[in-house]
């Protein structure tokens, strides 16, 4: 079973628009990580946010974490065609050791 | 230095054969993880090593799957008597310490005919 669930499953936007995707999870976590994947191969690490953090930024990416709601969001500002990819959240759950549990991903299409 | 590397990038085998998939983690990373990803899904955990020992192998689907990391660096995932359902992309990741960022390799796409 998957701890994290992304929403929406797919997203189509125009270049320059912002893209927001959400992740919900079920159990207490040590941290939550967001990844990008192109063409079903290697995952690129985007941001790690720890359970005691509420918001992190990296370039055009902004991640929030609400542990009371067990949810996180990833915002991509001023999207580019190169941002087209699948985005996954993954949780490092306290009760699950140090393995990551991934959601099913959000497929983002940025149209030029 | 270099990122996580995996070999081969693609492996096609016949049902019933034995395969080995190799992972070379980032130098100095003590934790190494194997995941499996089927088409259209997120990766699923298989096994995790801290140093040479398997700290958690709860994700291995059955006893046909086995992994080793004899010197605490390179790891090999071994699959015996492969089945068509084993077809997937096998991903390896490493992290400097547990609960740090996990950095993934490009994966090995296994196809069992």
């Amino acid at each position: 079973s998957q701890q994290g669930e992304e929403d929406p499953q797919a997203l189509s936007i125009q270049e320059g628009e912002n893209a927001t995707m959400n992740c919900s999870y079920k159990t207490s976590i040590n941290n939550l990580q967001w990844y990008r994947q192109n063409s079903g191969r290697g995952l690129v690490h985007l941001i790690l946010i720890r359970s005691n953090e509420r918001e992190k930024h990296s370039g055009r990416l902004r991640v929030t974490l609400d542990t009371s709601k067990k949810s996180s969001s990833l915002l991509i500002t001023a999207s580019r065609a190169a941002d087209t990819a699948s985005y996954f959240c993954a949780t490092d759950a306290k009760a699950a050791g140090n393995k990551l549990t991934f959601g099913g991903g959000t497929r983002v299409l940025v149209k030029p | 230095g270099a990122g996580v590397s995996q070999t081969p990038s693609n492996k096609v085998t016949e049902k019933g054969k034995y395969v080995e998939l190799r992972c070379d983690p980032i130098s100095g990373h003590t934790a190494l993880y194997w995941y499996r990803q089927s088409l259209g899904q997120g990766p699923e955990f298989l096994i995790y090593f801290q140093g040479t020992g398997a700290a958690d192998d709860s994700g291995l689907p059955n006893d046909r799957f086995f992994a080793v990391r004899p010197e605490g660096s390179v790891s090999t995932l071994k699959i015996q008597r492969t089945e068509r359902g084993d077809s997937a992309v096998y991903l390896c990741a490493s992290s400097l310490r547990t609960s740090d960022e996990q950095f993934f390799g490009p994966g090995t796409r296994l196809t069992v005919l």
Side-chain angles (χ1 to χ4, degrees):
Chain A
S1 62
Q2 293 182 324
Q3 153 91 312
E5 295 291 338
E6 285 94 338
D7 169 59
Q9 291 187 333
L11 184 60
S12 180
I13 56 174
Q14 292 294 136
E15 208 165 25
E17 294 180 339
N18 296 342
T20 300
M21 58 211 86
N22 303 294
C23 170
S24 60
Y25 58 92
K26 298 186 177 87
T27 62
S28 294
I29 59 172
N30 293 313
N31 64 62
L32 185 146
Q33 303 183 40
W34 283 92
Y35 288 86
R36 185 183 71 228
Q37 186 176 46
N38 295 87
S39 306
R41 295 305 289 266
L43 289 135
V44 174
H45 188 271
L46 297 177
I47 288 183
L48 178 152
I49 187 164
R50 299 196 184 276
S51 60
N52 61 351
E53 297 175 311
R54 291 297 166 257
E55 187 170 312
K56 285 188 86 167
H57 296 256
S58 176
R60 295 183 295 111
L61 306 179
R62 172 176 168 257
V63 167
T64 64
L65 179 65
D66 186 335
T67 53
S68 66
K69 294 181 180 177
K70 293 187 170 56
S71 68
S72 175
S73 68
L74 169 66
L75 167 68
I76 306 172
T77 60
S79 62
R80 304 167 182 169
D83 295 328
T84 294
S86 291
Y87 292 81
F88 293 91
C89 71
T91 52
D92 177 345
K94 289 182 179 178
N98 300 109
K99 62 193 179 196
L100 291 179
T101 305
F102 285 81
T106 293
R107 287 142 195 82
V108 175
L109 171 64
V110 181
K111 294 179 281 188
Chain B
V4 178
S5 62
Q6 292 186 246
T7 56
S9 56
N10 286 282
K11 175 71 177 177
V12 180
T13 190
E14 294 180 342
K15 181 175 177 297
K17 299 290 189 183
Y18 168 82
V19 296
E20 289 190 353
L21 312 178
R22 175 189 169 108
C23 172
D24 207 332
I26 293 171
S27 177
H29 280 197
T30 62
L32 184 148
Y33 310 80
W34 284 98
Y35 296 84
R36 177 168 75 171
Q37 186 176 24
S38 299
L39 192 63
Q41 298 181 18
E44 291 186 319
F45 169 79
L46 295 175
I47 185 170
Y48 144 59
F49 289 88
Q50 179 60 42
T52 60
D56 183 349
D57 65 357
S58 61
L60 294 177
N62 51 59
D63 61 7
R64 295 186 298 105
F65 288 74
F66 188 71
V68 296
R69 194 186 185 199
E71 297 177 359
S73 178
V74 171
S75 176
T76 305
L77 178 65
K78 308 179 181 193
I79 310 174
Q80 298 177 319
R81 304 183 304 280
T82 52
E83 299 177 358
R84 292 195 180 90
D86 299 335
S87 296
V89 175
Y90 288 81
L91 295 163
C92 175
S94 70
S95 64
L96 186 60
R97 294 173 299 268
T98 56
S99 287
D100 280 348
E101 293 90 338
Q102 292 186 24
F103 296 95
F104 281 77
T108 293
R109 185 179 300 279
L110 176 66
T111 302
V112 181
L113 301 177

